[in-house]
Amino acid sequence: MPELNLTSAPAHLRHGSNIGQPLTRRDGVLKVKGQATYAADNHPSGMLFAVMAVSSIARGRVTSLDVAAARRHPGVVDVMTSDHKPPLAIDPEIKTNPFVFRMEVLQSDEVRYANQPIAVVIAETLEAATEGAALLAPRYETLPALIGLDAGDSFVPPVVGVGNPTENHRGDVEAGLASAEKRIEAVYETPPQYHNAMEPHAIVAAWDGDNLSVDMPTQGLFLSRARIAELFGIAPDKIHIRSPFLGGGFGSKGLMAGPQVLGVMAARLVGKPVKLVLRREQMYGPVGHRAPTRQRLRMGTDGEGRLTALDHHARTVSSTFDDFYEPAADASHSLYASPAIRTSHDAVRVNTGTPLFMRAPGEATGSIALESAIDEMAWACGIDPLAFRLKNYAEVEPITGKPFSSKALRACYEQGAARFGWAKRPLQPRQMRDDAGLLVGWGMGTATFPALMFQAEARAAIRRDGTGAMEIGAHDMGQGAWTALAQIAADGLGLDIDRVAFKAGTSDLPDAGIAGGSAHTATAGAAIHSAGAAVIAKLADLATADERSPLFGAGNTGVIARDGKLFRRDDESRGESYTEILARAGLAEIEARGMGAPNPAAMEEYAMHAHGAVFAEVKVDPELGQIRVTRMVGAFAAGRIVNPHLVKSQLFGGMIWGMSFALHEEAITDRRSGRIMNANLGEYHIPVNADVPPLDVITIEEHDPHVNALGIKGVGEIGITGSAGAVANAVWHATGVRVRRFPIRIEELLTQR
Amino acid sequence: MNHSISLTVNGARRDFVLDDPRVTLLDLLRERLHLTGTKKGCDRGQCGACTILVDGKRINSCLALAISHDGADILTIEGVAHGDQLHPVQAALIAHDGFQCGFCTPGHIMSAIGMMREGQAGNDPERVRECMSGNLCRCGAYAGIVDAVLEAQAGMDESNQRRSA
Amino acid sequence: MKPFDYVRPATVAEAVAAAAQPGAVYLAAGTNLLDLMKGNVSRPDRLVDVTHLGGLDRIEHLADGALRIGALVRNADLAHDPEFASAYPAIAEALLSGASAQLRNTATVGGNLLQRTRCAYFYDTASRCNKREAGSGCDARDGENRSHAVLGWSDSCIATHPSDFCVPLVALDAVVEIEGGNGRREIALDELHRLPGDTPERDTTLEPGDLIVAVRLPPAARGFAAHARYLKVRERTSYAFAVVSAAAALLIENGKIKQARLGLGGVAAKPWRARAAEDVLKDVAPTADAFQEAAWRALSDAKPSGDNAFKIELARRIVVRALTLAAAGTPARMPALPASPFASTSGALHA
C-alpha cells in the first residue's frame, strides 16, 4: 500500500503536547477529496466481479440451481456452488476459539436463515455477475422457519456476551420486593437491528501462489488473518490484509464474515483477483445483527424511594447453529445501588444469521429497558427522575461491591441537568406544549459502558533525521485512529505530530487486537505509549552511557523527551537532539516494541466504567402521534479525552443511535417465511439529517490511574446507552403514554387525544 | 449492442463505447472510469452516497443509466477541489468534523454543493437539515454537516457580496 | 438486471410504436424503474427512453387559465417554479415532501404518476404477489401489513399507491394527457389508477404503448391557492413514505366554504379522492365540527386489511388537521419541513 498522504492541515493544533488537543482528522483531506481508498475502490489488473446469490428461505435446503443459465449469460466466468468450490483446510463449523463464529461458505446445501449465501457468480462485469446470480433461480426443500422470541423451547445459555455468566445475583431479590413499599413490574421488547454501516461488506482478494492479498474493511486485522489462515491452510505471514479505512463497522466488521471468505474462495477458484461486495439487502443475514429481546424488570423501593430490589430478566435469541446471546440484563449490574440485584437470561433458537456484537451489545438493549423502568419506578414514587437516580447512586459497583476506579457520574448529572434546564421539568406527564400546540416532554437516562482493555503491540522507531515512526495494525472505522493514535504516538516519541510517520491499517504491522468494546484507543494507545517509552529509553541509554553526551551519567529515569530532544530531568538546560545522539552512535535509527494489556490486579480491585447522563426533549403531535427529538444534552465522564473534537463526534453518533433505537430502527420479519421485509435503507429507518436536533455534549475530566497507563476509558459505545432511554422517557413525559415496545410507533400514541 | 457515449466528466470530455446498456452512471464512474470517490451504499436511491452533479443538479447516480445520459456534464467529488485548494464545503466539513468513517462524505459534499446551487435552504439550519436529508450518515455526523454547510454557505454569500460590490 | 434493448425514439409517435410491443417499458428518469429492475421485480426486454423527446418538459399556462405540465418536467423544477408554487401550493408542498432532493431533481411528473407500490411483498420476489405476478396470491394479506390499504382494497391486493404528488393532483381534478396507438386522449387522474379488484396486476387504465405526455390542472384548481395544504405523517422527519397523508384545499368566501377538495394518500391503491367529505363541507363554515364530520365521511368505507386499523383513525385525524391548516391559510413561504406536523417547531414552551 502506498503511504497515505495524511495531513494535519488545515488543523487547529495548539503548540505543545499532542494528547488532549482538538486536532482535526489527519485523514480529513483524503476523505473530503474522495481519495480515501475503501476496499471496494480497489481494482487490481485482471479483476473479476463476484456477486452472491442468497437464500429466500429461512430453513431447509437448496435442491437445485440453474447454473447452466447463469453460465450462458455473456460475461459470466464461473459459478461457485456447494458442488463446485475450492477446498477449505478445515471445516468452518469448527470453533477453534471463542471469537470464531460459524459461517456459510457453500459447505453444504443446507439453509439456516434467509439471505444466507448459496452461490457466487463470477463474471467480467458487475452487470453480468449480478444477472448471473438472478438466473440461478434456486429451488428449495423448505422447512417451517423458527422465528421470534417464542419460536421454541427456551433454554438457559451457558454464557452470554463474551463469557459473561448467564445469571448474577447479590442479596435476596424476592425478599427485597416483598418488603418494598412501592413496586413496579414491566416488560419491554426490543427488535432485531442491523448495523447497516454505510459501506457494505466488501473484499478484493488476489492469490499469487500461496500468497494472498486482501483489501477488506475489518475491525480485526489479526483475527481475520488468523481465520483466513486456518480456513485456507496457509501461514498467516502469507496473507496481507489492507484495511486503511472502514466505511463504518459498529461491530459488524469485527470478525471475518462468511461473504468475505467467499471472495477469497472465488479468487482461488478462477485464479484471478476478485471483488465481492454485498448488496445492501444481503447485509441482513450473514454479517451479524443485534438480537431482539424481551426484558422483564421488577423493582421495589422503600418509603424513601431507595431501591430494595432490582430484578432484570432478558429473553433473547441466537441462531439455530451458533451461540451469541445479547447480555441485556447485565446492564443492571453497575448503575443503581440496591441491596438485592438479580440478572438472568434465557434464549430460544431461531432461523436467523447468528446475532453478534452491535454497538454496545447488551448495554444498549439493557439500557433502554432499565432506564425506562427506573423512570417508571421514579414516577411510582412521585420523585423526579434525576432525584430518584441520585437517591440510588451507586458508590460502589452494586453487583460486585467493588469500588469504582473513577466515577464522575454525579458531575455528569449536575452539569447535564444544568445545561438542559432540567430543574424546570414538571413531574407530571403531558404538561408542556409549545406555541404550535405540540406536546413537549423531557426525559433522561444514565449512560454507562465498561472500560475495557484488550492486548496490542506497537513498534516505535526514531530516525537519525529527527523523525519518528510508529507502527501498529490499528483500525480506523471512523472513530479517528489515524489522528488520535498518532497524537499518542507523537507524545510517546517526544515529537511534533508532523514528524511522526504513523502507520496503521494493514496486517503486516504489529497486532493491535480488535477495534471493539470501545477499547481500541485505550489498548492500541497503551501499546504505542509503551513502545514510545521503550524507544526513548533505548535512546537515553545510548546518550547517558556516552561520555561525549551532555546527558552522560543521567541514567534512564533522569531523562525526559520533548520536541525531538532528550533533557536531563534535573537540569533542562542540558539536552541533546535525537539526531545528535543517533549520529554519534552511527545509527540510522533505533527501534523498540511495546505492549498494551489489561492489568489483572487493577481489574480485580476496581470496577471500571465510563458514565454519562443524557437529557432529551421530544415533541409529539397530540393528534397524529408523530415524534421528533428537538434537543439532546449528554454529559459524559470517560477518563482521559485524547482528542475532544473526535470524542464529541463519537458521542454525538452514539446519542443519535440511541434516538434511533427508541424511535426508528427495526427489522421487520415475516413470521411465516423468516425473510426480513424491510431489508433496505428506505424502510429500515435510520435517522436522517432532519431527525437530528441540535446536540450538546459535555465531557467531564476524569483522571483514572487504574484503567490503563493513559487513563482512557473509551467513548465509542457509551453514547447509545442512556440516550435511548432518555428519548423513550421523554415520549412518556410528553404524552403520558408509556410505550414498552421499541421502536415507539405512531399507533401507540394515537390512543388518547 | 454497442452504444457510443460522450460525457463531460469533471471538465474533460470522455468518449467511449458502452457495451452494455445496463451500466449505471455510478458503476460507469467506479468500475470503468475508476473514479471511485463516488460511493455505493445501497444502489437503490435510498442513501445518497452516490450523489453526483449532472448538468449542475445533484442526483443519485445509482438510479441513472449511463446510456440515457449521453451528452451530460458530470461533476464528481474528484472534480471539486482545485489541487490543494479545497472547496469551502470540503474545508468546512474538516473543520466541523462533519464525518467520521468518511464513506458518505463525497455524497454529502456533492449534495451540499447541489443544494447551495438550488438556493432553497439559505442560512436556515432547519431547511439545511431537510434539504440534506437525502444523504444518510450512519456514524451520526449530521450536526457537523449542518454546521459545515452553513459556514460554507455564509462564506460564499460573503464572497458573492464582495464580488458584486 | 436482465439484458434489454435500449431504444431512444426521436418522436412521440416513434416512442408509442416502440413501447407498444410486449416486454417494452418506458424509461424516464428511472428512479423507480431501475430500482424495480435491480430487485428483479421488473424484467423488461426493451427500454424506450423518452427523456430525450422534445417538448415534454415545459410548464405552459393555457389561454383558458389551465396549466399544462409536460410529463418530463422534473419534480423539483415544478415545485420550485415560483408561479406554480404560489398558484398550487399544496402540490408544491406534496412534491417537496416526497423522496429526497436528489430524487426530486430527476424524477419526472409522468414517472411519479406511474410509480409502483412500496408493498414489501411486491418487492420481495420470493413472495406471492398478484400485482407482480397475476394469480399467484397475496402474501401481504396475512403478513406484515401494518402499512397497507384501508380503502378500496380487495382480497387480491392490499397495496397502496406511494405518491405524494398525486394526492393534491387528484383533489384538484388534474387531467392526464395520453398519447397512444390511436392518437391523443385525456382522462381524469382519478380514472388513471385502478383499484385492485381481481386484477391488481394492472395499476392503471393505460394500454400498452400509452405515453403520458402531460398533466393538466383545470382553471378552477387555481382558486384554492389561498387555502391549500398537504400534510404527511411519516416514521422519520424526512425521506420516508407516508403512513397516511392528506391534501386539503378550500375555497372560502364570506366565512363559508364554497368548495372543498380532499385527497388522501397511503390509504389505497390509488390517490384517494374523498368526494363524500367534500360534499359535507360545501357551504358550511370552516369549523372543527364540520371538519370532524368530513373526516368521518372520508373514512366511512374504510376497513383494516390487517394490522392497520390505526390508519383509519390516523387518516381521520389527518383530514381534520389538513382541513384546519388549509382553513388557516396557505403560509406565505413553503415551510422548512414541507407537509410535516413539525413544519414549525420553534417557539416557547407552555407548562
Side-chain angles (χ1 to χ4, degrees), chain A residues 56 73-74 127 130-131 134-135 279 281 426 431-436 438 440 442 617 619-628 630-631 663-664 668-673 675 677-678 680-688 690-691 745-747 749-753, chain C residues 1-3 38-40 43 118-122 124-128 138-146 231-241 243 292 307 310-311 313-314 316-321 337 339-342 344-351:
Chain A
S56 63
H73 188 79
E127 293 75 23
T130 305
E131 176 62 7
L135 291 170
R279 296 156 59 89
E281 66 270 23
Q431 297 298 307
M432 296 193 293
R433 295 210 183 213
D434 74 358
D435 278 346
L438 297 165
V440 180
W442 291 356
E617 174 184 277
K619 294 190 178 180
V620 182
D621 189 295
E623 283 93 31
L624 307 180
Q626 194 171 318
I627 306 164
R628 193 174 189 217
T630 45
R631 234 161 29 101
L663 302 183
H664 298 295
I668 296 166
T669 310
D670 183 276
R671 290 155 286 191
R672 301 155 301 175
S673 70
R675 282 195 295 281
M677 301 312 294
N678 60 340
N680 61 63
L681 287 174
E683 276 118 353
Y684 182 98
H685 287 156
I686 63 171
V688 297
D691 289 307
R745 289 173 161 182
I746 284 165
E747 55 263 45
L749 304 180
L750 293 180
T751 50
Q752 81 182 86
R753 287 182 187 244
Chain C
M1 197 183 286
K2 184 176 159 187
K38 288 180 183 204
N40 292 306
R43 291 176 64 79
R118 289 297 307 180
C119 173
Y121 296 90
F122 172 73
D124 173 28
T125 57
S127 291
R128 296 178 305 153
C138 173
D139 275 338
R141 194 72 181 84
D142 297 312
E144 296 297 321
N145 48 23
R146 173 177 167 264
L231 180 65
K232 174 180 178 182
V233 167
R234 283 163 270 195
E235 294 186 315
R236 58 184 178 192
T237 305
S238 185
Y239 207 5
F241 291 98
V243 178
Q292 290 285 355
D307 296 330
F310 79 96
K311 286 182 70 169
E313 175 61 17
L314 179 59
R316 285 193 190 108
R317 295 183 186 190
I318 288 175
V319 166
V320 172
R321 178 70 63 77
L337 302 174
S340 170
F342 300 101
S344 69
T345 47
S346 60
L349 297 186
H350 305 282

Side-chain angles (χ1 to χ4, degrees), chain C residues 107-131:
Chain C
T108 64
V109 161
N112 191 309
L113 266 53
L114 297 181
Q115 66 185 296
R116 315 286 316 265
T117 181
R118 289 297 307 180
C119 173
Y121 296 90
F122 172 73
Y123 263 85
D124 173 28
T125 57
S127 291
R128 296 178 305 153
C129 172
N130 289 319
K131 189 179 276 302

Side-chain angles (χ1 to χ4, degrees), chain A residues 215-301:
Chain A
D215 295 284
M216 68 170 198
T218 177
Q219 300 170 239
L221 282 162
F222 301 89
L223 283 174
S224 293
R225 187 179 66 171
R227 185 73 161 135
I228 297 173
E230 70 176 15
L231 284 171
F232 292 90
I234 53 176
D237 63 5
K238 300 271 190 193
I239 303 163
H240 186 53
I241 308 177
R242 289 169 297 267
S243 183
F245 301 105
L246 286 84
F250 313 114
S252 73
K253 293 167 182 164
L255 305 167
M256 187 83 188
Q260 292 169 322
V261 173
L262 288 172
V264 179
M265 290 168 67
R268 173 145 269 186
L269 183 73
V270 296
K272 287 187 174 175
V274 159
K275 169 153 77 182
L276 187 152
V277 184
L278 265 63
R279 296 156 59 89
R280 177 59 56 179
E281 66 270 23
Q282 295 176 338
M283 293 172 70
Y284 292 75
V287 296
H289 66 286
R290 195 196 298 282
T293 68
R294 180 186 298 140
Q295 302 176 53
R296 185 189 65 164
L297 277 113
R298 297 192 297 161
M299 286 181 199
T301 50

Side-chain angles (χ1 to χ4, degrees), chain C residues 296-338:
Chain C
W296 195 258
R297 287 291 184 92
L299 278 302
S300 59
D301 293 334
K303 58 179 197 282
S305 60
D307 296 330
N308 57 359
F310 79 96
K311 286 182 70 169
I312 299 172
E313 175 61 17
L314 179 59
R316 285 193 190 108
R317 295 183 186 190
I318 288 175
V319 166
V320 172
R321 178 70 63 77
L323 287 167
T324 307
L325 289 171
T330 305
R333 192 184 175 199
M334 183 64 66
L337 302 174

Side-chain angles (χ1 to χ4, degrees), chain C residues 203-268:
Chain C
D203 284 2
T204 69
T205 54
L206 296 180
E207 298 297 328
D210 277 355
L211 177 68
I212 294 175
V213 291
V215 172
R216 208 172 65 236
L217 286 161
R222 307 177 73 94
F224 299 91
H227 295 280
R229 290 303 298 271
Y230 183 67
L231 180 65
K232 174 180 178 182
V233 167
R234 283 163 270 195
E235 294 186 315
R236 58 184 178 192
T237 305
S238 185
Y239 207 5
F241 291 98
V243 178
V244 179
S245 68
L250 300 173
L251 184 58
I252 300 178
E253 282 179 8
N254 304 321
K256 285 200 170 174
I257 299 168
K258 193 162 174 238
Q259 264 198 75
R261 300 292 180 79
L262 185 65
L264 288 168
V267 294

